Each structure stands twice: as C-alpha cells, then as structure tokens.
Amino acid sequence: MAEKLFSSEIRVMELLWKNGEMSAKEIAAALSESVNWSKTTTYTVIKKCVEKGAVIRTDPGFLCKAAVSKNEVQESEAFELIDRLFGGKPDLLVSALIGSGKIEPDQLKALRSLVKDLEED
C-alpha cells in the first residue's frame, strides 16, 4: 500500500474487512455507536480512504468495499514501524518484544515454530 492509514481510517477498514461491502450510512451508524462519530466525520474519513486507494466506493448507495486486504495493511504498517524505529532490522523488533517480558509463553512457542518452519523452507 502506498499511503499510510491513520487510526481513524483503520476503524473504517476494520468494519469493511469484517463485514465486506457496506454503505456509508451503515458505516456511519456503526461508528456512531462504537466511537460516537458524527455522520460527517465518518464520511470525511471514508473519503480519505477512497483518496488513498484503500476503499472503493460505488454508486448508487455510496457502497464501500476494501480495496486492500488486512494482511497488506498489516505488512505495510509493520515494515514502516521496523524502518522508522528499528533501522530496518526486524530482528531488533523481535528482540524488543521478547526483552519486554510481555510475550506469553504460548506466543513465544508460536514464534519459535514460525522461525523453524521458515528455516525449513
């Protein structure tokens, strides 16, 4: 993905990833209920997502659907974080996470398994 999505835009994307195609009215109702956004705020955020190429909007009905997958956004955000805070070195990110002591034993086991699987490929 070319442009970074802000947390407000991620809220819209999460709804679309979860529910598939939704009208702007449905998105506005959901976000009004969950985070108390006004209809105008929601429509502005949707417009920004469309401008960034993250959402496709069709008429009639102002129907919206995700143009990028959650996985694409997660990867883009992860690499941006690694570049910005860890000098482009993913091992430093993993080291910081493990060193924090906040990784549960089952999560650590899953990481070990992932590394082992990658080494075998």
Side-chain angles (χ1 to χ4, degrees), residues 27-62:
I27 296 169
L31 292 173
S32 173
E33 185 177 308
S34 66
V35 290
N36 203 28
W37 281 5
S38 71
K39 182 177 170 182
T40 304
T41 298
T42 302
Y43 283 22
T44 299
V45 174
I46 292 170
K47 181 181 178 204
K48 294 205 179 282
C49 290
V50 170
E51 290 170 355
K52 290 181 176 184
V55 169
I56 297 170
R57 190 199 101 186
T58 58
D59 287 316
F62 204 67

